[in-house]
């Protein structure tokens, strides 16, 4: 009498051999109560599952992790210090000894490329971090308090945003010593504004949600509401913005280095290496090739990964 | 009576992460010419999916729809998309719950009414415009001559729903599917909209499928009622039979759980405990078993079929209607 | 819940006139929309709610009932007027005094999907109430309290570590109720607590609320547009139209003898789930549409749609006046 589940047709009343015992009333214990059938997952885990099923994003993530790993251990694998010059072996082609060849001072390109990648990534990371902190605080204040506070801060942001930012960056670097600190500082001066606007928009939308009103009616203060309710729920767009900030900063740093305003020798970033290689591009193209490919790959992967992350963190919760 | 719609063994499955949702699980019903059939049930019972399948509005794939839908003798499920386009709007009209999202905000109301008339009936644009004004007047919109060139945002919620009805009925379809047409509206507006629908039905002889969860609206306007639960029809019959002599515990439960305005307030409500089953893994037996006060052993593993019960055309899917029911005593 | 049980319950909760818990006095809430436009959401509302009483507030969308609830809750600051809660002037309280009084008044919200933070587990949603008022000494005590609250509202305490999206609408509404109960309030404003739920679930939630009221002596303000349900749960009902209370009476009295023409139309518009009754009923169909609360009609707000309106109605705004013991209506031509 066990019904085959799923697709079986219902049984006409007369088709089954039933006895009186089958019509005994069920007591409570025989019924299945309220079951939550689906497995328990948090919103973050849900997003991760969605991200994992996105092939391109996952490939990008793996490549990015490899790049980070190589930036850390690349120099020790190379067997050469990025600074040690070998004037007897300048501008060598890639060979078994120097995998990426050497530059005009005979420095090992393999070691220098990964060292440069490390610097570029650090610039990106620090710039993103500063954007995150200032942007979230400013955006949070504008969005949460609204009214006059929002109006004043918002005008300030608009004014800052209207100044050509490369101008500020270049001015600042010229005034201060070119170094990683200066570059990060220069990029952050205007970089946080877009983050602040995104956070502001999110907070304004979220602050009238009923769960925020519920928390307010429980007597929660501004801090708790911001950090327990509003920012965690705005995290999706914040993270996506961050994954876009990193490549932008890397690109800006490369651009500055290209102008000679980047990190100074003997340290190198991918941008300064491309700049160095430019002078002899037609004769020693590999000197340009490796850093250029690496920087493009990094940018591409960040963009694809950021896209995948946006899809995965889509605030519309699944049913 | 002439049957204009006959649905047989309709099944709709959706693939989601974590499995396949069996939203509609073998639904049978028919609609006669000129009558109003209400499909009632709670969210997730498959009533809206059923209604949308009739117009082939459920994108498949990803959904898989099987069974048969015969409309005026022709099979709907095997029609090409192009053939469907001539049926939608012309032969079958549909109105939705939210009149704001179902109207195109960039087109004037008049344009949205005349579109179908020009396309399906080959009317000239002047003739269509005259008809549009006529339709707006018919659904009770004041100053139709000036309203016809206005846009949806210039209409209130109730007026938008009237405009939606005008659009759906402009080509004089034989079947109107109204999917929760008054759920988003206030009661006084709901009363206006329902009276417009009834009025038009008398004038135009349209058959109406009314999807709703509001038993009051059903009692007020349906000729027949189909009660759905967990993707299946559990009871169907004439409105009076369903309300006065319900033969399925779910129908009885629904009726007991809503307060009535004409009752003394001290009468307690009797809720149905628990929640409907997850249709990714529908239960083997009767889907209502876990929430049913009168459940028996047989209900756990055997899905009851819809069989005739007392009353003309009255059917119910419940083991309580089996001759042996009531003889099994209490569970050991 | 049996019949006898219910009627004893009601004899305990006799309304209002003796010991008021809440007095809403001349409350106004206007929103400045900019460009000189002012939306008068709540206008000169006076209401008193007795200890243990349930006051229903009904009206159609845009009538100001939700704004009234949120202003009484002090989620919005009033434009003018005062709410006296348990003898204290609510809008004069500051800082910690305000925080303390928030323990006594709580709110249950309409949308069971928007009223719970999707990033928090149920333990944290309910535990937040305990944290804010430091009601749990240790993590273990917090966990125990949350579990017992879940038990009170009829949910399985084992599910406390799950996230809101894993629950059905009805279950989420129970979680919202548990959160409100965590601070042991005296007064709960329920803002359309059941209108997003399926009919079979609505009765579960309403019965739960009535049960809790009986056990804990709660006072409710029950805001809804579903008049049948409001009548079922309320001792007295206030009908709102365009920001004003137009009628106020014991619920059975209001439904039996509506005095205001708007209430009469509203009641007649509600279909009754009984085909025989429906066949007999006649509806009063209101003409025209709801005027904008930005630019309401002069005098009586209902006069533009009222079958009884005269010139007087355009000039004088009728005050809420007693037409019969305990039955108030704001109409120059109130029946009874």
């Amino acid at each position: 009498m066990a019904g085959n589940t799923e697709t079986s047709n219902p049984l006409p009343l007369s088709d089954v051999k039933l006895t009186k015992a089958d019509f005994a009333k069920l007591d409570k214990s025989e019924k299945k109560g309220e079951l939550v059938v689906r497995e328990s997952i948090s919103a973050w885990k849900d997003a991760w599952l969605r991200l994992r099923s996105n092939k391109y994003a996952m490939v990008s993530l793996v490549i990015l992790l490899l790049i980070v790993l190589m930036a850390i251990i690349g120099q020790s694998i190379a067997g050469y210090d990025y600074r040690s010059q070998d004037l007897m072996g300048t501008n060598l082609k890639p060979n078994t000894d120097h995998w990426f060849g050497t530059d005009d001072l005979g420095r090992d390109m393999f070691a220098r490329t990964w060292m440069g990648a490390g610097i570029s990534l650090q610039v990106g990371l620090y710039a993103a971090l500063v954007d995150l902190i200032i942007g979230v605080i400013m955006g949070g204040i504008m969005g949460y308090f609204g009214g006059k506070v929002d109006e004043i801060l918002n005008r300030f942001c608009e004014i800052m945003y209207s100044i050509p930012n490369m101008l500020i960056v270049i001015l600042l670097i010229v005034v201060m010593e070119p170094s990683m600190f200066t570059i990060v500082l220069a990029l952050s001066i205007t970089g946080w504004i877009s983050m602040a606007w995104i956070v502001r928009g999110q907070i304004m939308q979220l602050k009238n949600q009923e769960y925020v009103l519920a928390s307010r009616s429980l007597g929660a203060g501004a801090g708790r509401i911001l950090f327990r309710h509003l920012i965690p729920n705005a995290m999706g767009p914040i993270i996506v913005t961050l994954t876009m900030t990193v490549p932008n900063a890397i690109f800006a740093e490369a651009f500055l280095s290209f102008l000679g305003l980047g990190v100074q020798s003997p340290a190198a970033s991918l941008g300064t290496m491309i700049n160095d290689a430019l002078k002899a591009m037609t004769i020693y193209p590999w000197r340009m090739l490796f850093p250029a490919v690496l920087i493009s790959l990094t940018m591409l992967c960040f963009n694809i990964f950021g896209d995948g992350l946006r899809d995965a963190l889509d605030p519309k919760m699944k049913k | 009576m002439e049957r204009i719609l006959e649905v047989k063994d309709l099944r709709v499955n959706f693939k989601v992460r974590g499995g396949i949702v069996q939203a509609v699980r073998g639904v049978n019903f028919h609609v006669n010419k000129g009558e109003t059939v209400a499909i009632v049930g709670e969210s997730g019972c498959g009533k809206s999916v059923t209604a949308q399948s009739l117009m082939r509005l459920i994108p498949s794939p990803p959904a898989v729809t099987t069974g048969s839908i015969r409309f005026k003798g022709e099979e709907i499920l095997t029609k090409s998309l192009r053939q469907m386009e001539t049926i939608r709007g012309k032969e079958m009209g549909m109105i939705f719950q939210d009149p704001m999202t179902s109207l195109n905000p960039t087109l004037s109301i008049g344009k949205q009414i005349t579109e179908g008339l020009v396309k399906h009936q080959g009317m000239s644009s002047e003739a269509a415009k005259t008809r549009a004004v006529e339709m707006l007047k018919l659904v009770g919109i004041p100053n139709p001559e000036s309203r016809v060139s206005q846009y949806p945002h210039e209409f209130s919620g109730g007026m938008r729903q009237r405009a939606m009805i005008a659009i759906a009925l402009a080509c004089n379809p034989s079947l109107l599917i109204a999917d929760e047409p008054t759920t988003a509206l206030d009661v006084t507006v709901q009363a206006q909209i329902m009276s417009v629908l009834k009025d038009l039905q008398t004038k135009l002889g349209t058959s109406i499928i009314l999807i709703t969860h509001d038993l009051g609206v059903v009692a007020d306007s349906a000729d027949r009622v189909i009660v759905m639960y967990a993707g299946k029809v559990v009871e169907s019959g004439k409105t009076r039979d369903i309300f006065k002599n319900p033969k399925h515990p779910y129908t009885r439960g629904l009726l007991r759980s809503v307060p009535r305005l004409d009752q003394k307030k001290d009468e307690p409500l009797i809720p149905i405990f628990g929640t409907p089953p997850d249709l990714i893994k529908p239960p083997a037996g009767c889907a209502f078993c876990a929430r049913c006060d009168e459940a028996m052993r047989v209900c756990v593993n055997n899905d009851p079929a819809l069989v005739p019960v007392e009353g003309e055309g009255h059917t119910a899917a419940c083991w309580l209607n089996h001759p042996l029911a009531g003889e099994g005593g209490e569970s050991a | 819940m049996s019949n006898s049980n219910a009627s004893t319950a009601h004899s305990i909760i006799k309304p209002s006139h003796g010991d008021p818990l809440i007095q809403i006095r001349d409350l106004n809430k206007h929103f400045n929309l900019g460009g000189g436009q002012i939306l008068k959401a709540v206008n000169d509302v006076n209401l008193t709610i007795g200890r243990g009483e349930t006051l229903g507030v009904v009206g159609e969308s845009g009538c100001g009932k939700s704004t009234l609830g949120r202003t009484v809750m002090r989620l919005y600051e009033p434009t003018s007027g005062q709410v006296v809660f348990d003898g204290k002037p609510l809008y004069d309280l500051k800082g910690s005094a305000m925080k303390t009084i928030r323990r006594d008044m709580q709110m249950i919200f309409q949308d069971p999907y928007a009223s719970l933070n999707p990033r928090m587990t149920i333990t944290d949603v309910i535990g937040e109430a305990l944290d804010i008022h430091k009601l749990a000494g240790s993590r273990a005590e917090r966990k125990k309290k949350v579990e017992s609250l879940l038990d009170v509202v009829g949910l399985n305490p084992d599910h406390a570590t799950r996230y809101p999206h894993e629950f059905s609408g009805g279950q989420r509404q129970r979680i919202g109720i548990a959160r409100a109960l965590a601070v042991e309030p005296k007064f709960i404003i329920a803002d359309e607590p059941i209108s997003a739920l399926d009919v079979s679930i609505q009765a579960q939630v309403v019965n739960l609320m009535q049960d809790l009221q009986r056990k804990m002596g709660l006072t409710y303000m029950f805001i809804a547009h579903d008049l049948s349900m409001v009548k079922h749960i309320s001792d007295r009902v206030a009908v709102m139209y365009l920001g004003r209370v137009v009628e106020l009476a014991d619920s059975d009295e209001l439904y039996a003898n509506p005095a205001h023409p708007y209430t009469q139309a509203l009641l007649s518009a509600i279909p009754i789930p009984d085909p025989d009754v429906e066949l007999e009923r006649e509806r009063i169909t209101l003409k025209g549409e709801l005027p904008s609360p930005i630019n309401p009609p002069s005098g009586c707000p209902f006069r533009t749609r009222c079958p009884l309106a005269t010139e007087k109605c355009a000039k004088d705004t009728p005050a809420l006046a007693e037409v019969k013991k305990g039955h108030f209506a704001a109409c120059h031509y109130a029946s009874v």
Side-chain angles (χ1 to χ4, degrees):
Chain A
M1 71 167 229
N4 182 9
T5 58
E6 314 268 314
T7 50
S8 78
N9 277 310
L11 306 158
L13 297 190
S14 57
D15 271 17
V16 210
K17 284 254 181 305
L18 295 167
T19 61
K20 280 186 185 180
D22 286 323
F23 288 90
K25 269 196 96 174
L26 282 178
D27 60 32
K28 278 236 167 81
S29 61
E30 286 175 277
K31 285 189 223 170
K32 292 168 210 144
E34 273 186 41
L35 286 177
V36 184
V37 180
R38 291 175 208 187
E39 172 201 13
S40 163
I41 41 174
S42 74
W44 291 118
K45 193 168 167 203
D46 193 48
W48 166 240
L49 289 177
R50 232 172 311 180
L51 183 67
R52 212 173 53 180
S53 63
N54 182 339
K55 272 191 300 244
Y56 298 106
M58 287 316 285
V59 169
S60 303
L61 179 64
V62 169
I63 295 175
L64 284 174
L65 289 175
L66 278 178
I67 292 173
V68 171
L69 181 76
M70 285 306 288
I72 298 167
I73 65 166
Q75 291 175 70
S76 36
I77 295 177
Y80 291 94
D81 188 81
Y82 72 96
R83 283 166 300 200
S84 56
Q85 303 179 1
D86 176 7
L87 296 175
M88 302 303 289
T90 59
N91 296 326
L92 290 178
K93 281 191 180 163
N95 56 50
T96 50
D97 204 19
H98 297 282
W99 295 330
F100 287 1
T102 57
D103 69 1
D104 53 353
L105 294 172
R107 294 176 292 197
D108 181 54
M109 281 291 289
F110 187 79
R112 285 185 71 71
T113 302
W114 293 118
M115 143 64 177
I119 300 269
S120 292
L121 283 171
Q122 281 181 54
V123 168
L125 216 65
Y126 293 141
L129 211 66
V130 177
D131 281 8
L132 176 73
I133 294 166
I134 305 179
V136 167
I137 292 174
M138 290 291 280
I141 292 171
M142 287 194 279
Y144 183 74
F145 293 101
K148 280 269 172 309
V149 178
D150 176 43
E151 210 158 296
I152 292 165
L153 289 178
N154 207 7
R155 283 298 155 272
F156 174 69
C157 289
E158 277 164 7
I159 291 166
M160 291 290 286
Y161 203 74
S162 66
I163 303 171
N165 88 9
M166 265 303 150
L167 207 70
I168 305 184
V169 171
I170 292 169
L171 263 171
L172 202 84
I173 294 174
V174 171
V175 173
M176 293 168 70
E177 200 92 316
S179 71
M180 192 153 83
F181 173 77
T182 327
I183 292 172
V184 170
L185 181 75
L187 291 178
S188 307
I189 275 189
T190 55
W192 59 270
I193 294 175
S194 30
M195 175 66 89
W197 277 336
I198 281 175
V199 175
R200 171 180 178 267
Q202 284 289 315
I203 302 282
M204 287 199 152
Q205 230 175 54
L206 292 171
K207 75 174 174 185
N208 290 319
Q209 291 279 318
E210 289 185 344
Y211 60 80
V212 178
L213 294 181
S215 190
R216 277 178 60 201
S217 49
L218 283 168
R224 172 181 284 273
I225 287 170
L226 263 172
F227 292 105
R228 294 293 307 251
H229 294 289
L230 297 176
I231 291 177
N233 281 289
M235 226 42 214
I238 291 175
I239 292 175
V240 172
T241 313
L242 271 187
T243 58
M244 299 296 176
T245 309
V246 176
N248 285 347
I250 292 176
F251 202 72
E253 184 277 332
F255 176 72
L256 290 172
S257 299
F258 195 75
L259 296 178
L261 297 170
V263 292
Q264 297 300 299
S265 200
S269 70
L270 295 174
T272 52
M273 290 174 68
I274 293 169
N275 186 27
D276 290 346
L278 193 65
K279 298 162 205 154
M281 187 174 71
T282 45
I283 319 169
Y284 314 116
W286 60 89
R287 280 182 50 199
M288 164 97 70
L289 182 72
F290 294 107
V293 166
L294 196 57
I295 203 168
S296 310
L297 194 64
T298 311
M299 303 280 288
L300 187 69
C301 288
F302 263 112
N303 282 318
I304 295 174
F305 177 67
D307 244 19
L309 210 53
R310 181 182 11 231
D311 292 343
L313 290 169
D314 190 36
K316 266 174 271 152
M317 299 287 293
K318 73 177 170 91
K319 208 181 137 199
Chain B
M1 235 191 267
E2 191 193 335
R3 286 190 177 189
I4 69 156
L5 181 79
E6 177 110 43
V7 175
K8 285 218 170 97
D9 198 30
L10 181 71
R11 290 168 190 275
V12 184
N13 292 342
F14 292 97
K15 202 169 179 301
V16 296
R17 210 178 51 218
I20 291 167
V21 175
Q22 303 173 35
V24 178
R25 305 188 295 147
V27 161
N28 297 288
F29 70 94
H30 69 273
V31 177
N32 294 325
K33 190 167 178 7
E35 72 170 345
T36 300
V37 176
I39 304 183
V40 297
E42 300 173 274
S43 48
C45 74
K47 58 187 193 299
S48 281
V49 175
T50 301
Q52 289 172 17
S53 314
L54 301 180
M55 288 256 253
R56 293 261 305 274
L57 292 176
I58 306 270
S60 39
V64 180
T65 309
T66 59
S68 155
I69 299 170
R70 294 190 82 80
F71 177 66
K72 289 182 158 179
E74 290 181 50
E75 178 58 50
I76 291 286
L77 288 181
T78 54
K79 289 222 179 294
S80 70
L81 284 178
R82 169 148 269 157
Q83 286 170 314
M84 274 320 291
E85 275 176 25
T86 63
I87 292 178
R88 288 181 198 146
K90 188 180 177 198
E91 300 282 345
M92 284 191 209
M94 188 150 183
I95 52 181
F96 299 90
Q97 173 172 345
D98 185 348
M100 192 65 226
T101 54
S102 45
L103 289 170
N104 183 342
T106 62
L107 291 178
S108 71
I109 295 291
K111 184 84 193 143
Q112 296 186 53
I113 300 177
T114 54
E115 221 173 23
L117 292 169
V118 174
K119 184 174 158 199
H120 295 308
Q121 307 200 328
M123 274 193 184
S124 69
S125 58
E126 280 95 86
K129 180 127 189 224
T130 318
R131 172 92 174 135
V133 173
E134 228 170 81
M135 284 310 298
L136 290 182
K137 198 174 201 165
L138 214 55
V139 295
I141 292 180
N143 314 319
E145 292 82 6
S146 60
R147 287 292 218 166
V148 75
S149 51
Q150 289 187 335
Y151 288 82
H153 71 266
E154 296 172 83
F155 280 52
S156 71
M159 286 298 156
R160 270 185 221 131
Q161 199 57 295
R162 287 171 196 252
M164 198 59 222
I165 295 172
I167 294 169
L169 292 182
C171 294
N172 204 355
S174 1
L175 178 65
L176 177 72
I177 302 166
D179 190 354
E180 304 263 7
T182 59
T183 303
L185 305 173
D186 282 317
V187 275
T188 55
V189 184
Q190 165 174 296
Q192 295 168 346
I193 296 290
M194 289 316 296
S195 91
V196 165
L197 274 180
K198 273 190 265 183
D199 233 41
L200 286 173
Q201 182 171 38
T202 332
K203 280 184 197 147
L204 308 172
T206 321
S207 304
I208 297 178
I209 294 180
L210 177 69
I211 317 274
T212 180
H213 64 270
D214 187 330
L215 295 169
V217 172
V218 174
D220 172 45
S221 34
D223 300 308
R224 285 193 300 124
V225 181
I226 294 166
V227 183
M228 283 186 74
Y229 185 77
K232 292 193 173 197
V233 174
V234 293
E235 184 164 7
S236 86
K238 292 194 160 167
T239 305
R240 201 165 180 286
D241 285 333
I242 296 285
F243 279 87
K244 296 293 173 180
N245 189 18
K247 287 292 185 190
H248 195 286
Y250 177 62
T251 315
R252 287 198 284 269
L254 277 185
L255 289 167
R256 274 187 312 210
S257 61
V258 290
R260 288 175 49 161
L261 209 51
D262 55 346
Q263 266 171 354
K264 272 251 159 261
K265 61 173 290 213
D266 287 346
E267 282 179 44
L269 301 178
I270 305 168
I272 305 174
F273 289 100
T275 44
D278 191 337
L279 290 181
I280 284 187
K281 253 171 100 180
C286 172
F288 188 59
C289 178
R291 302 175 74 189
C292 183
D293 284 336
E294 298 161 80
M296 301 171 292
R297 286 241 167 100
V298 64
C299 308
V300 180
N301 289 313
N302 302 279
D303 198 359
L306 208 54
V307 295
V309 290
E310 191 187 336
E312 188 202 332
H314 190 177
T315 56
C318 178
W319 288 113
L320 287 171
N321 300 311
H322 191 280
L324 281 175
E327 295 187 25
E330 292 296 311
S331 176
Chain C
M1 189 166 79
S2 74
N3 249 329
S4 61
N5 213 338
S7 50
T8 39
H10 281 294
S11 48
I12 298 168
I13 310 162
K14 241 330 177 210
S16 83
H17 313 296
D19 180 16
L21 180 65
I22 292 179
Q23 291 160 282
I24 301 169
R25 291 184 186 157
D26 301 320
L27 193 66
N28 282 282
K29 176 63 192 171
H30 301 167
F31 292 99
N32 192 343
L33 302 181
Q37 288 192 314
I38 289 173
L39 186 141
K40 296 182 176 170
V42 174
N43 272 311
D44 299 326
V45 169
N46 282 286
L47 288 169
T48 301
I49 310 176
R51 275 176 214 277
E53 188 190 16
T54 299
L55 177 75
V57 178
V58 295
E60 298 183 281
S61 42
C63 73
K65 58 189 191 298
S66 280
T67 307
L68 174 67
R70 289 179 179 187
T71 313
V72 170
M73 202 61 219
R74 209 179 171 188
L75 290 172
Y76 299 151
E77 291 297 320
T79 305
S80 67
Q82 184 60 272
V83 168
V84 179
F85 181 87
D86 215 0
K88 297 182 206 76
L90 189 70
Y91 301 127
D92 296 342
L93 299 177
K94 293 203 172 67
S96 66
M98 188 61 214
K99 190 172 162 185
T100 316
I101 211 164
R102 287 215 178 274
R103 263 193 74 180
D104 290 336
M105 45 198 302
Q106 279 302 305
M107 194 151 186
I108 301 171
F109 294 88
Q110 171 177 7
D111 185 346
Y113 290 87
S115 61
L116 305 175
N117 185 339
R119 305 266 181 215
M120 284 163 100
T121 62
I122 299 316
T123 309
D124 286 335
V125 166
I126 300 171
E128 181 175 35
L130 303 171
D131 298 344
I132 290 171
H133 295 283
K134 304 200 170 53
L135 300 179
S138 64
R139 280 208 83 76
E141 195 190 340
R142 181 177 188 258
K143 184 164 174 266
K144 226 176 108 197
K145 280 202 167 164
V146 168
E147 283 174 358
S148 80
L149 281 162
L150 285 175
D151 192 50
V152 166
V153 297
L155 287 174
N156 184 346
D158 297 342
H159 292 163
T161 54
R162 290 176 175 267
Y163 288 87
H165 68 94
E166 298 169 58
F167 293 85
S168 67
Q171 292 170 323
R172 285 158 160 261
Q173 206 55 296
R174 286 169 190 266
I175 296 165
I177 294 173
R179 169 177 56 195
L181 292 178
V183 292
E184 297 162 28
K186 294 177 185 154
F187 174 54
I188 292 181
I189 298 179
D191 185 5
E192 303 253 15
I194 52 165
S195 58
L197 304 178
D198 273 317
V199 275
S200 79
I201 311 293
Q202 290 187 349
Q204 293 178 8
V205 172
V206 164
N207 281 3
L208 173 66
M209 286 183 64
Q210 287 187 312
D211 237 33
L212 294 169
Q213 180 170 48
R214 210 165 299 134
K215 284 182 193 146
M216 306 179 178
L218 294 167
T219 304
Y220 287 142
M221 179 160 150
F222 191 93
I223 301 169
H225 66 269
D226 178 346
L227 284 87
S228 323
M229 204 50 108
V230 170
K231 176 195 175 207
H232 175 77
I233 197 172
S234 308
D235 299 299
R236 286 185 305 148
V237 175
V239 181
M240 286 185 74
Y241 186 80
L242 277 186
R244 289 176 190 277
V245 174
V246 295
E247 187 157 7
L248 171 69
D250 274 19
S251 66
D252 281 334
E253 160 72 13
L254 182 89
Y255 288 84
N257 306 308
H260 195 285
Y262 175 64
T263 314
Q264 289 162 2
L266 199 58
L267 290 177
S268 89
I270 299 163
I272 287 173
D274 184 328
D276 292 348
V277 175
E278 273 304 309
L279 217 57
E280 308 275 300
R281 279 180 18 127
E282 272 197 39
R283 299 215 192 290
I284 306 169
T285 312
L286 285 179
K287 56 183 181 183
E289 298 203 30
L290 189 72
S292 157
I294 296 168
N295 200 1
S298 64
C300 172
F302 186 58
R303 70 173 168 86
T304 52
R305 307 173 73 190
C306 182
L308 308 177
T310 60
E311 272 177 33
K312 183 181 180 194
C313 302
K315 279 183 221 140
D316 306 333
T317 309
L320 200 61
E322 197 157 22
V323 291
K324 194 173 170 184
K325 176 119 184 76
H327 188 159
F328 300 81
C331 177
H332 297 307
Y333 306 102
S335 43
V336 181

